[in-house]
Amino acid sequence: MNFLRTATSALRPSSHLLTRRAALPATIFAVRHLSDSTKKTIEDAITNNKLVVFMKGTPQAPQCGFSRAVMQILTVQGVDMQNSLKSFNILADEDLRSGIKEYSSWPTIPQVYINGEFIGGCDIMLNMHQSGELESLLLKEGLILPEPEENPRA
């Protein structure tokens, strides 16, 4: 029994070691994925276009279900995909793929920007679509036209 008590106490760190360890400065290593050229590409895109989507694949051929869902939401909302949408296939550019996540501090793709403002990903777009908030935003930014009012014949 004495052996067991001695062995277990030897395995426990002593309190002075914990104190000394806590007093050491913490070293943080951050990996930077966003090059200056990638940052400029992203900033130019979101500054010069009202609607930008960083996605996997293209609007005509999305390569992930979340990117497909965002394209479907924009289509249902009535966005002119040929003239109003600027998209980037992040699968074709590894620097852009990692850089956009760092730029927005958002870990997932797709990422949607409207009028220079980061809106979010698929889940946020879906929630905004369901609540009517997305339609209001798209109307306000001139990305969709208001639906014509129906005039019943009297």
Side-chain angles (χ1 to χ4, degrees):
M1 190 67 152
N2 210 8
F3 169 76
L4 186 59
R5 189 173 297 135
T6 304
T8 55
S9 67
L11 293 175
R12 280 189 228 126
S14 64
S15 61
H16 77 280
L17 288 177
L18 290 176
T19 307
R20 288 179 68 196
R21 230 181 261 151
L24 295 175
T27 304
I28 299 173
F29 294 98
V31 178
R32 185 168 184 252
H33 299 285
L34 186 59
S35 68
D36 291 337
S37 64
T38 302
K39 183 177 180 182
K40 182 174 178 3
T41 299
I42 294 168
E43 288 176 343
D44 287 348
I46 64 175
T47 301
N48 298 325
N49 299 282
K50 280 191 169 192
L51 175 60
V52 180
V53 179
F54 295 90
M55 62 183 291
K56 293 179 180 176
T58 64
Q60 300 77 21
Q63 294 185 359
C64 116
F66 298 114
S67 293
R68 180 179 312 282
V70 166
M71 290 301 107
Q72 289 173 339
I73 290 168
L74 293 173
T75 300
V76 167
Q77 289 288 338
V79 172
D80 179 355
M81 303 298 258
Q82 297 298 322
N83 299 313
S84 297
L85 173 68
K86 175 71 174 172
S87 68
F88 290 86
N89 180 1
I90 56 97
L91 296 176
D93 185 343
E94 184 56 41
D95 290 338
L96 186 59
R97 182 179 191 166
S98 57
I100 190 62
K101 294 175 183 180
E102 184 177 331
Y103 182 84
S104 64
S105 299
W106 190 261
T108 60
I109 302 294
Q111 294 187 12
V112 179
Y113 289 79
I114 296 178
N115 204 20
E117 181 183 345
F118 176 60
I119 302 302
C122 180
D123 54 344
I124 293 173
M125 290 290 288
L126 182 58
N127 288 338
M128 290 177 71
H129 170 67
Q130 291 171 339
S131 72
E133 188 180 354
L134 182 59
E135 181 178 10
S136 299
L137 178 61
L138 294 172
L139 281 167
K140 182 181 123 193
E141 299 301 334
L143 291 164
I144 60 173
L145 298 173
E147 289 188 23
E149 293 182 27
E150 293 183 25
N151 292 326
R153 294 184 184 218

